[in-house]
Amino acid sequence: MLFDLNIVLDVLQERAGFYEFLARLLARAETGKIEGWIAAHAVTTLFYLIAKDRSPEQARVAITSLLQFLKVAPVDQNTIEQALNLPYRDFEDAVQMSAALQIWADICSLAT
């Protein structure tokens, strides 16, 4: 399963509404019950957002922790070109889906 950046943010920030369900889903990846992925471009954005809100050191800790159980799906030229041809209005969602297709993910959890 490829986790969208917003899914990870919902859990890290304990956002109301979806937190409990999404935390359980992410915990399934952490315990190895599912193979969890995050797209490469989402990692850089996540680092930026955490560093801006907290600190670069806390961003490093959070990313390091996530990478203990989430694999990074590459985003390369092929991923971007494929995303450009997907019928998504939101290009970032198209890149997420393309990254999921590149790793043969069964599910791509897009933004909540």
Side-chain angles (χ1 to χ4, degrees):
M1 172 180 286
L2 187 132
F3 289 92
D4 180 270
L5 170 63
N6 290 319
I7 300 287
V8 176
L9 283 173
D10 283 348
V11 173
L12 291 178
Q13 296 177 341
E14 298 183 21
R15 292 183 187 168
F18 298 101
Y19 170 74
E20 301 242 348
F21 171 74
L22 298 175
R24 285 195 308 271
L25 192 58
L26 207 54
R28 292 181 60 81
E30 187 172 12
T31 59
K33 293 181 180 168
I34 62 172
E35 186 176 61
W37 293 79
I38 188 168
H41 75 286
V43 176
T44 61
T45 303
L46 183 60
F47 185 96
Y48 168 79
L49 293 171
I50 295 171
K52 181 180 169 193
D53 187 49
R54 299 178 191 164
S55 73
E57 184 53 37
Q58 287 181 319
R60 282 183 188 84
V61 169
I63 299 295
T64 299
S65 180
L66 285 171
L67 294 181
Q68 298 302 306
F69 61 91
L70 293 180
K71 295 179 181 181
V72 178
V75 174
D76 58 13
Q77 183 169 344
N78 185 46
T79 311
I80 298 298
E81 288 175 353
Q82 184 178 22
L84 288 167
N85 291 307
L86 292 176
Y88 283 78
R89 289 175 38 174
D90 184 317
F91 183 64
E92 198 270 338
D93 284 348
V95 173
Q96 295 278 0
M97 183 57 73
S98 181
L101 293 170
Q102 298 287 334
I103 61 164
W104 297 88
D106 292 324
I107 301 170
C108 180
S109 299
L110 294 176
T112 55

